[in-house]
Amino acid sequence: MSGRTILVVEDDRDIRILLADFLKREGFSVEVAEDSVAADRALGRMKPDLVILDLMLPGEDGLSICRRLRARAATPILMLTAKAGEADRIVGLEMGADDYLAKPFSPREMVARVRAILRRSEAKPATETAPAFDKGSLKIDFSTYEVFVRGKPVKLTLKEFELLRFMVLNPSRVLNRDQLLDRVWGGETFVTPRTVDVHIRRLRKAVEKDDRKPKWILTVRGVGYKFDEKALE
């Protein structure tokens, strides 16, 4: 992964320097920004392979930046925050973060998470058997990562796309949370089964006609989820 570019958005100077130093030692190219204005300038001149984004920034907070970044790109995001509560982690994931790291943290763990996210973003799915899925109201191009629902393009994060791809390639099969974690997040990750629920909820909002009454991505109580291919219009 030598040469991969990481953008660090962190207002605390000491933490910013610490993150940059450790990432550079691991062979990454690093850009830093202390607030949303500097982050926007950096993103205007570069396309980072991953963004490390502090939740509590002066002015515009990290969640707003995360939401805006997600609307225009699929760049992986590792969220940093001083808040360690489950609610804060869920909000970060719902806004589009790929992973979440609470302060104080080990720099080695931070690097491990960065590498794990980048590996997942680069990995080819072993279950991919066709270049596209096209049935009823849903069309997915596995090579270009494009999704169309009822003829309209839908923007998904990388994790949401991988989750949808795995489910449509295993129609009507009940998949538990551990299976989805292993397939979509990989073995070297630090997320919990709760992460699956968060991403399923976001995916439903993106593709279902009514995410409160899903027809395609169904919950099997006490087990997990399944994709009902027969429900495609």
Side-chain angles (χ1 to χ4, degrees):
M1 295 186 183
S2 178
R4 297 294 187 194
T5 301
I6 311 295
L7 173 62
V8 176
V9 186
E10 166 63 63
D11 65 309
D12 187 301
R13 181 177 180 274
D14 291 338
I15 296 177
R16 195 165 61 242
I17 292 174
L18 177 69
L19 290 169
D21 285 348
F22 265 83
L23 289 166
K24 288 176 181 177
R25 290 179 201 172
E26 296 296 321
F28 293 104
S29 175
V30 182
E31 292 277 341
V32 297
E34 69 276 8
D35 56 27
S36 62
V37 176
D40 283 339
R41 284 200 300 265
L43 290 168
R45 67 173 185 273
M46 64 180 289
K47 291 184 178 180
D49 295 290
L50 182 142
V51 176
I52 297 178
L53 180 60
D54 184 27
L55 175 64
M56 304 299 290
L57 291 170
E60 186 179 23
D61 64 22
L63 289 178
S64 299
I65 298 173
C66 181
R67 187 186 300 110
R68 190 169 67 252
L69 185 59
R70 271 289 169 257
R72 67 187 186 192
T75 307
I77 298 171
L78 173 60
M79 188 77 79
L80 299 181
T81 182
K83 297 181 177 181
E86 182 183 35
D88 298 295
R89 292 197 299 271
I90 291 172
V91 169
L93 292 170
E94 287 184 331
M95 289 301 102
D98 292 87
D99 203 352
Y100 192 102
L101 188 59
K103 301 175 184 176
F105 55 84
S106 160
R108 291 185 181 277
E109 180 181 354
M110 177 274 299
V111 171
R113 293 201 187 199
V114 166
R115 290 187 178 279
I117 294 171
L118 289 173
R119 275 195 295 270
R120 296 195 300 266
S121 69
E122 297 167 356
K124 296 289 185 179
T127 55
E128 185 174 317
T129 58
F133 176 93
D134 190 352
K135 185 172 182 179
S137 301
L138 180 63
K139 181 178 180 179
I140 308 170
D141 189 319
F142 296 136
S143 61
T144 62
Y145 288 76
E146 292 178 297
V147 177
F148 298 87
V149 176
R150 301 173 189 89
K152 297 182 179 180
V154 174
K155 289 187 177 181
L156 300 179
T157 67
L158 179 62
K159 286 292 152 289
E160 291 163 4
F161 182 88
E162 291 180 345
L163 189 58
L164 178 62
R165 171 168 51 190
F166 185 54
M167 296 189 78
V168 301
L169 290 175
N170 293 275
S172 300
R173 175 185 170 191
V174 179
L175 303 164
N176 63 43
R177 290 171 179 80
D178 287 336
Q179 288 173 314
L180 292 170
L181 277 175
D182 288 342
R183 176 59 194 87
V184 178
W185 281 266
E188 297 183 54
T189 186
F190 303 85
V191 293
T192 67
R194 177 63 172 158
T195 301
V196 174
D197 299 331
V198 171
H199 282 74
I200 287 287
R201 184 159 64 245
R202 282 171 31 195
L203 184 56
R204 282 172 170 164
K205 289 181 179 180
V207 304
E208 295 275 7
K209 185 175 290 186
D210 183 352
D211 62 282
R212 291 170 298 181
K213 298 179 181 178
K215 301 294 185 182
W216 300 351
I217 303 171
L218 305 179
T219 298
V220 180
R221 293 191 179 280
V223 184
Y225 302 96
K226 74 173 183 177
F227 182 79
D228 187 0
E229 189 177 58
K230 294 179 181 179
L232 294 174
E233 301 170 358

